[in-house]
Amino acid sequence: MLAAAVKILATRRYPGPAFEELDEVEVLPLSALKEPREDVEGLIVANEPVPLDLLPRLRIIANFGVGYDRIDVAACAPGIVVTNTPGVLDDATADLTFALILAVRRQVVEADHLVRSGGWTGSWSEGALAEDVSGSTVGILGLGRIGSAVARRAKGFDLRVLYTSRRPVETDLGEFRELDALLSESDILTIHAPLTPETVGLVDARRLGLLRDGACLVNTSRGEIVDEQALVRELVSGRIRAGLDVFWHEPQVPPELLDLPNVVLTPHIGSATRQTREAMTRLAVDNLLAVERGEPPLTPVTS
Ligand code: DGY
């Protein structure tokens, strides 16, 4: 159980009313932490490395987000509980995934630029024609909560749904394929796996080469799952298209992508709606409060 006046460090002011329920909270970015802090027992952080040596009395790290790949969970055990925010961001992330699928396949951003630049002099169909979304095949890499939310949306768009995961699961959301077959059979590949040692660089140059000409790759998960340089080469060649919300070295984006018409770029906004971010704060705070009361956290991370 945490001490009576529990000191919480928050790396920023997290959105929503739940944040105000924390009594003893100090807002401080981790980069500003220079000296050991004996008074801090709880931390809210958005997937950043935590300097455990400077927080010797830490009891809980409440990660604001489902992905916690930058937190050394093994180093926290057994004394520090790590929690995350699964579930509450599935719909927002699946919605953004679909926004990117639609934007890339239907060339929405290019069309918008054409209109704004005064280049709409006749029919847009004089330009390169877009690709249908309905009736095409989507391959979902990772059929967890977010991947399943994407599959449900895909059904509504009359897409054929294939998926890969560590093993086939009993589901009517789609047909299982091994990863290589998924890549070669899909018009749209969308990535929903967590970043782990097994998934870093999983979609490498060879696998990118399996994508069909004109295929669309969407990534709202983690940039590191795709070999970024190989992806840049494929995009620069114009062979495939992409919708990317995540990158290896955020906030840096490979400069080669910035002028390409065949890629839509967003700044890691999968969960960035007011309702979803407030729900994430709610869950992170509820985890902190549960540990403060001596109760089990709601959504602990299992390492
Ligand atoms: C997550 O939850 O891991 C997202 O990437 C943060 O928005």
Side-chain angles (χ1 to χ4, degrees):
M1 179 143 162
L2 299 182
V6 172
K7 180 81 179 213
I8 307 288
L9 211 60
T11 56
R12 66 185 76 155
R13 184 159 284 282
Y14 288 91
F19 191 73
E20 310 307 322
E21 290 175 26
L22 296 171
D23 287 338
E24 285 275 332
V25 63
E26 178 181 338
V27 176
L28 190 77
L30 288 178
S31 57
L33 201 59
K34 303 290 180 207
E35 301 291 327
R37 289 285 302 266
E38 298 278 345
D39 55 334
V40 173
E41 293 182 53
L43 175 69
I44 309 191
V45 66
N47 195 26
E48 280 179 71
V50 177
L52 296 174
D53 51 328
L54 298 181
L55 298 166
R57 294 187 56 217
L58 198 59
R59 300 291 313 282
I60 170 166
I61 299 173
N63 184 47
F64 178 84
V66 69
Y68 51 89
D69 40 272
R70 297 202 173 140
I71 298 174
D72 187 347
V73 176
C76 291
I80 304 170
V81 172
V82 181
T83 64
N84 66 344
T85 60
V88 295
L89 44 70
D90 302 346
D91 285 329
T93 307
D95 287 348
L96 182 78
T97 302
F98 247 85
L100 288 172
I101 290 173
L102 291 164
V104 173
R105 293 285 283 183
R106 297 303 310 269
Q107 303 180 3
V108 174
V109 176
E110 275 178 89
D112 176 272
H113 285 162
L114 183 85
V115 174
R116 287 171 198 270
S117 66
W120 187 26
T121 53
S123 165
W124 166 241
S125 64
E126 287 164 10
L129 290 177
E131 300 287 338
D132 274 341
V133 174
S134 317
S136 57
T137 299
V138 63
I140 300 179
L141 196 172
L143 198 70
R145 290 190 188 87
I146 297 172
S148 298
V150 170
R152 287 192 293 276
R153 283 156 179 73
K155 296 268 182 204
F157 273 87
D158 277 338
L159 285 156
R160 176 174 171 240
V161 180
L162 307 177
Y163 76 93
T164 198
S165 56
R166 269 171 290 190
R167 63 196 73 84
V169 290
E170 200 136 314
T171 180
D172 56 7
L173 287 176
E175 294 166 41
F176 177 81
R177 291 288 186 278
E178 297 294 345
L179 179 54
D180 284 9
L182 186 89
L183 286 153
S184 56
E185 285 185 48
S186 298
D187 301 305
I188 301 156
L189 173 76
T190 182
I191 299 174
H192 302 288
L195 181 64
T196 64
E198 292 74 42
T199 62
V200 177
L202 181 64
V203 181
D204 58 12
R206 180 190 70 77
R207 288 194 163 122
L208 284 169
L210 297 174
L211 286 170
R212 297 171 167 182
D213 288 355
C216 158
L217 180 151
V218 170
N219 193 358
T220 57
S221 176
R222 286 292 182 269
E224 294 94 324
I225 295 173
V226 182
D227 177 336
E228 195 163 66
Q229 283 316 307
L231 177 61
V232 166
R233 286 195 296 278
E234 290 279 10
L235 290 168
V236 168
S237 79
R239 197 183 75 77
I240 62 169
R241 295 181 163 264
L244 304 175
D245 186 49
V246 288
F247 305 88
W248 273 73
H249 304 290
E250 295 174 11
Q252 290 164 38
V253 173
E256 301 92 321
L257 300 184
L258 297 178
D259 291 325
L260 291 183
N262 51 337
V263 55
V264 175
L265 305 167
T266 51
H268 201 144
I269 54 168
S271 65
T273 68
R274 181 175 54 78
Q275 296 86 346
T276 295
R277 288 279 166 95
E278 290 188 0
M280 290 163 69
T281 303
R282 173 80 269 160
L283 187 48
V285 167
D286 284 346
N287 275 309
L288 282 162
L289 295 178
V291 171
E292 186 172 342
R293 287 191 300 265
E295 293 167 8
L298 282 74
T299 49
V301 158
T302 44
S303 62

